[in-house]
Amino acid sequence: MDRREFLLYSGGGLGSIALASLLKQEQLLSAAPAGTHVLHHPPRAKRVIQLYMSGAASQCDTFDYKPELIKDNGNEWDPGEKVQLFQSSPGKTMQAPWKWKQYGESGKWLNDCVAPLGACVDDMAFIHNMVSKSNVHGPATFMQATGFILPGFPGMGAWISYGLGSMTDNLPTFVVLPDPRGFAPNGAANWSAGFLPASNQGTMIRPNSKTPIANLFPSNNDFITRQSDRDVLAALKQLNQKHEEQRAGDSRLNARIKSYELAAKMQLQAPEVLDLSGETKSTLNMYGLDSVDFEVQEGISEAAEIAYFGRNCLVARRLLEQGVRFVQIWSGADNGFPRRNWDSHEDIKRDHWPLGRGMSIGAAALIQDLKQRGMLDDTIILWTTEFGRMPCSQGSKGRDHNPFVFTNWLSGGGIKGGTTYGESDQWSFKPADPANPTMCYDVHATILHLLGIDHEKLTFRHNGIDRRLTDVHGHVIKEIIA
């Protein structure tokens, strides 16, 4: 091969790769539908919304109907084994404070606490034999968010960002909408990138705040102008580039540089996405919003929960429309008093009714809204919590932690609606088949599968180990796939 041929084949080949990359960004290549990314097999979905109930939502007061609890209500609870609870001794058998009804063609039983979701049950798949490795909020929250009970591991959204990349240049790939009252246990570590490139971490947005995205715009003062702000950023870019050249392989600075570049683009698009004034009155009503402006309160009330969660769900839909791939919505903050999360040790009726109504109105609106816009088919919605609650009482009105069984549900994006997979026992205490529980690894593997990812092949080498979201576990739950 002479020099001319070498340049033609090598230079021309690299040029073709660059051209193909540019054409792909502009969606001018005839390939998969816009926004999809084929990693291991053709995907059924391209985006995910994770609804996270912080504090441990009670499965036996919401989705897991158990006539045995109604029949034996107030009697001694005897599961036939010694039960060691988190902070109490087993009390009496306790039924849900509210009634149960069947909904949809599937006849799914829901408690009145979450009745608004009755309109959507035929689009939902329920998993009632979920099990956690911990009954402590911090580790259990980590497990559902990252697949591990220890800190330092990437969140599911970070893994999906790493595996599939972005669908937009103007907004983050992974967005987190926290409860307006504060963070769940572990705080921002629940959505960190861990050992993945730092650019894959979640970007927090607070729709209810006066500054929804921190540091996006300069503060109002006399010495910063738009031009001086641009000049400072340009100088900072030069300094960062010099710093990066001397530290090859450190992703943190590169992620920060990219975050500045993304922030410049977000200054144009983010305010529009977060502006709900253009939504119709019927849409706002569907999400339970009489107004998009309200004050955040410290404790729990039905009106507040509807406003908090409904607004976040509506913002999530708008983020998806603009190309965000993964949105995580939190219901519940840390363990403060008065209660402001699902950790109802003292009084299930007092706490779960407002939280359940707020969550179910917002979630039902989100499912129906995505469906009517043709987006539910390629959007997966996952509802989860860190563990469940016991079928017996703590004191006279509350329930203690139950890591032995709880509920998840999924909707959209290739999920078979109107289905139930995995049963709990007659009390909703443990899985009906203790040898075959469902773990977060299985749910994560199923979501990755629907996104076109083989969960065993999405790996990252860290400290000599090929790490993955599902650790060394997990199987795709084929029974809930359409």
Side-chain angles (χ1 to χ4, degrees), residues 358-425:
M359 176 278 297
S360 56
I361 289 172
L366 180 60
I367 293 172
Q368 293 169 319
D369 201 6
L370 291 175
K371 190 173 184 179
Q372 71 185 10
R373 294 170 187 270
M375 297 173 63
L376 188 62
D377 288 342
D378 56 10
T379 302
I380 303 168
I381 300 174
L382 166 65
W383 184 96
T384 192
T385 187
E386 62 259 45
F387 41 72
R389 308 206 79 86
M390 296 298 295
C392 57
S393 63
Q394 179 178 357
S396 60
K397 299 179 181 179
R399 295 189 193 273
D400 209 339
H401 299 181
N402 182 2
F404 309 116
V405 87
F406 61 104
T407 292
N408 276 191
W409 59 257
L410 300 96
S411 182
I415 293 295
K416 184 189 297 183
T419 59
T420 296
Y421 172 82
E423 295 288 344
S424 61
D425 62 19

Side-chain angles (χ1 to χ4, degrees), residues 47-50 52 144-146 153-162 165-168 170-178 187-194 196-205 262 266 319-320 323-330:
R47 343 166 243 251
V48 179
I49 296 179
Q50 183 181 25
Y52 206 121
Q144 301 307 313
T146 72
F153 289 88
M156 177 167 58
W159 276 108
I160 291 172
S161 170
Y162 169 71
S166 176
M167 296 192 295
T168 176
N170 299 326
L171 289 169
T173 305
F174 175 18
V175 170
V176 179
L177 305 176
N190 290 311
W191 53 84
S192 83
L196 294 177
S199 57
N200 298 121
Q201 65 190 320
T203 297
M204 183 177 62
I205 296 179
L262 178 60
M266 286 173 64
L319 288 167
L320 294 185
V324 173
R325 192 179 287 282
F326 193 102
V327 181
Q328 189 177 68
I329 304 175
W330 291 82

Side-chain angles (χ1 to χ4, degrees), residues 211 217-226:
T211 54
F217 296 99
S219 58
N220 294 323
N221 52 59
D222 297 332
F223 58 89
I224 296 180
T225 65
R226 287 185 177 274

Side-chain angles (χ1 to χ4, degrees), residues 46-65:
K46 60 186 180 184
R47 343 166 243 251
V48 179
I49 296 179
Q50 183 181 25
L51 310 177
Y52 206 121
M53 309 300 111
S54 175
S58 173
Q59 76 288 351
C60 48
D61 296 296
T62 51
F63 304 115
D64 198 12
Y65 173 59

